[in-house]
Amino acid sequence: IASPYYVRRGGFNRIRAWLAGFLIPRADCVRVVSERIRKSIFHKKIAVLPIFSEIKKDFQKKDFPGYDFVILMVSRLTREKNISLALAAMREVIKEYPRFLLVIVGEGPERKKLEREVLDGLEANVRFEGRQPDLSGYYQSADCLLLTSDYEGYGLVAIEAIGNGLPVVMTEVGMAEEIIKNGENGIIVPVGDKTRLAESLLRLKREESFRRSLSEGARKTKLPYASFEEYRDKLINSWKTCRA
């Protein structure tokens, strides 16, 4: 709600931001999912509790014949996810590497609009997979995860990606610089920056050693929780902190 991009998305978001400004100071305590959100609001009692996600290791790899670099997006197809930015970056990337493929997993109200955008020269380089019950095979088959949101509270798919050893290229939202570290397990670019986004994707293709180092960094990243039990204990502790 503190992101300037949030309030630009329409009247409902402005109302929500106003309500947050009214309610948060009156709350006994506040629980948020990331340090970015904690730093954006003022309250004397704030608990940071990241979202829990079980990282699945059982998978059947997906096959994308005819392509030598696969970019994965897992997202609701909504305006704030700014998937049009990813398509704009792809137009730049395929000028140099025509065998790049962008795989988009997810559904939402923007799908028809995005499919029309793809018809303008990206038909061979973008694939819509719809909603999928199991994502582990996609994570294991891609070369990187792409997240282009204008704002995020957290960004769970990025956590799932690095949990599968997949480098992340993302805008500076959610847990960027908190868990996704620039140059260590991913690349972070400014929100809305098509040029930097395209350059980052091209660098992953050109510099194989860099891409491997990011993959290794992803595998070594300490995730927020080792188990559901650890999440449960921290959740209960956040309630206790609130009551103290």
Side-chain angles (χ1 to χ4, degrees):
I1 59 173
S3 167
Y5 296 94
Y6 183 82
V7 295
R8 293 176 192 170
R9 286 300 185 189
F12 281 117
N13 281 10
R14 286 193 289 272
I15 292 170
R16 293 185 187 105
W18 180 87
L19 285 173
F22 177 80
L23 293 171
I24 288 173
R26 291 163 174 78
D28 293 310
C29 59
V30 178
R31 189 173 71 226
V32 299
V33 297
S34 69
E35 284 292 329
R36 183 181 298 274
I37 298 177
R38 184 188 67 78
K39 293 174 181 177
S40 72
I41 61 178
F42 176 77
H43 198 282
K44 61 182 179 180
K45 283 189 179 181
I46 301 180
V48 179
L49 190 76
I51 300 169
F52 172 78
S53 177
E54 182 180 6
I55 306 299
K56 296 181 179 179
K57 296 297 183 180
D58 297 328
F59 63 89
Q60 181 177 0
K61 292 190 74 171
K62 303 296 179 180
D63 187 24
F64 301 107
Y67 298 95
D68 57 15
F69 196 92
V70 177
I71 304 162
L72 174 65
M73 296 190 80
V74 179
S75 175
R76 289 181 292 110
L77 308 186
T78 53
R79 287 179 63 200
E80 70 272 12
K81 302 299 183 179
N82 202 356
I83 295 170
S84 292
L85 177 65
L87 300 181
M90 280 292 291
R91 295 185 195 282
E92 300 302 314
V93 166
I94 62 174
K95 292 176 183 178
E96 185 169 343
Y97 293 106
R99 294 174 64 189
F100 263 52
L101 176 66
L102 175 62
V103 177
I104 303 173
V105 178
E107 285 289 353
E110 290 275 291
R111 176 159 180 169
K112 290 190 181 299
K113 169 182 173 293
L114 294 168
E115 287 177 334
R116 288 194 296 270
E117 291 181 29
V118 166
L119 293 176
D120 187 18
L122 287 175
E123 299 93 331
N125 300 96
V126 178
R127 182 179 299 182
F128 291 91
E129 295 284 283
R131 186 178 290 107
Q132 298 293 325
D134 186 2
L135 299 172
S136 55
Y138 288 96
Y139 289 130
Q140 291 290 336
S141 304
D143 293 288
C144 73
L145 178 88
L146 180 59
L147 190 154
T148 55
S149 298
D150 289 338
Y151 53 86
E152 286 279 354
Y154 190 58
L156 187 61
V157 295
I159 301 299
E160 294 176 346
I162 62 170
N164 282 278
L166 189 62
V168 174
V169 177
M170 68 180 296
T171 48
E172 194 173 359
V173 297
M175 91 302 290
E177 297 297 1
E178 182 178 341
I179 297 174
I180 305 301
K181 306 279 188 169
N182 195 37
E184 294 183 17
N185 55 12
I187 302 176
I188 299 170
V189 302
V191 172
D193 194 328
K194 178 192 73 173
T195 301
R196 290 278 294 278
L197 197 62
E199 288 173 351
S200 298
L201 295 171
L202 288 169
R203 184 182 180 189
L204 289 181
K205 173 60 178 174
R206 294 173 184 147
E207 301 178 28
E208 185 176 351
S209 60
F210 177 60
R211 186 171 77 248
R212 287 180 177 175
S213 73
L214 294 184
S215 295
E216 184 63 21
R219 285 188 287 269
K220 291 180 177 178
T221 300
K222 179 175 171 41
L223 298 178
Y225 309 107
S227 65
F228 175 77
E229 288 72 24
E230 183 182 352
Y231 167 73
R232 177 201 61 199
D233 292 344
K234 289 184 177 180
L235 174 61
I236 293 171
N237 187 61
S238 72
W239 293 335
K240 291 178 178 178
T241 301
C242 182
R243 295 179 61 187

